[in-house]
Amino acid sequence: MPTLAEEDEDISAAKKLPHIPLSSLRAYAALPEHLRALTTEIAASLSSELVSVLRNDLTQRNDRDTDADLRDRLRPLIQGLVRTRGVKEGLLSWREAVLGLVRQIVRSRLPNEEDNEEAKAPNRTHFRDMRHPEFMLLLQTLYADLLKCIQGIQSQSNVILDILEAETGKLSPPPQDELTDILASASELANTHS
């Protein structure tokens, strides 16, 4: 068993070792760049998974679904995005997916709905020729689907904000503006395309 004097010698010898920064070693010189690339890849993967989970929730949402299930599925993804500093990119990806979903809803109810005026002309004639009850049923179905989508986005935004507030605490404000922008953009697109 070493004596106290020997232990003191070992400690003082350890203190005398030179401090060499690892980044100055050639073998570790590229490590920061590789770590940044890996972090970016992880954030992109988490963003993709976040969009997938939110899209599935939005398309399969019904009145009996609770936000607790969604919260359980989103929590690890959002925790990972917070750690990789990829929350904003994940929300931007979700925004693009939401706009695509709104367009898809409109196209499913209004066949041949296109962005150019020439393609809309045959649709206008078709809608003018529809009987009023059929047209009203079509509009009611379309608006009900769009409203359900927008309500789902609002519910998802609340869940995301709750998770982010729990994760980040008071360190940084949650991205309320980005989530509000997603909801506003979806609502505006629904209004202009319907």
Side-chain angles (χ1 to χ4, degrees):
M1 182 153 180
T3 64
L4 262 74
E6 290 173 345
E7 286 179 12
D8 287 340
E9 282 181 28
D10 289 339
I11 292 173
S12 64
K15 288 182 182 179
K16 292 179 186 178
L17 292 177
H19 180 329
I20 301 173
L22 292 179
S23 60
S24 68
L25 298 175
R26 185 179 299 177
Y28 295 118
L31 187 60
E33 184 179 319
H34 290 296
L35 288 176
R36 277 191 292 276
L38 184 61
T39 301
T40 303
E41 287 177 28
I42 291 170
S45 177
L46 289 168
S47 293
S48 175
E49 185 66 22
L50 176 76
V51 168
S52 176
V53 167
L54 289 171
R55 178 179 292 162
N56 286 340
D57 176 72
L58 198 57
T59 56
Q60 297 173 0
R61 183 174 279 267
N62 60 38
D63 296 332
R64 293 180 293 152
D65 281 345
T66 63
D67 289 337
D69 295 335
L70 178 63
R71 187 179 319 273
D72 291 341
R73 289 180 293 181
L74 289 180
R75 183 172 287 116
L77 297 172
I78 292 176
Q79 287 171 339
L81 286 169
V82 167
R83 289 182 188 132
T84 59
R85 296 184 183 106
V87 173
K88 189 168 189 160
E89 291 78 14
L91 293 179
L92 288 174
S93 297
W94 175 230
R95 182 182 189 275
E96 294 305 315
V98 162
L99 296 179
L101 285 171
V102 169
R103 286 185 189 100
Q104 183 181 357
I105 290 170
V106 172
R107 285 184 186 130
S108 72
R109 296 295 176 196
L110 303 176
N112 299 324
E113 179 63 27
E114 300 290 333
D115 291 332
N116 59 35
E117 289 300 315
E118 295 83 29
K120 289 183 180 180
N123 261 358
R124 289 184 183 137
T125 304
H126 172 72
F127 293 136
R128 283 188 203 128
D129 294 342
M130 287 180 86
R131 293 182 26 231
H132 184 70
E134 292 171 358
F135 181 73
M136 290 304 294
L137 182 63
L138 175 70
L139 284 183
Q140 288 173 347
T141 306
L142 173 64
Y143 285 126
D145 290 348
L146 290 171
L147 184 60
K148 182 180 175 183
C149 178
I150 290 169
Q151 288 171 337
I153 295 167
Q154 176 64 44
S155 178
Q156 290 176 339
S157 295
N158 290 339
V159 169
I160 291 170
L161 278 175
D162 289 346
I163 294 170
L164 283 171
E165 286 174 355
E167 285 301 309
T168 60
K170 302 295 181 196
L171 298 177
S172 64
Q176 176 119 22
D177 292 341
E178 286 87 353
L179 291 168
T180 302
D181 181 54
I182 292 170
L183 184 62
S185 296
S187 300
E188 185 177 329
L189 185 65
N191 183 42
T192 59
H193 274 65
S194 59

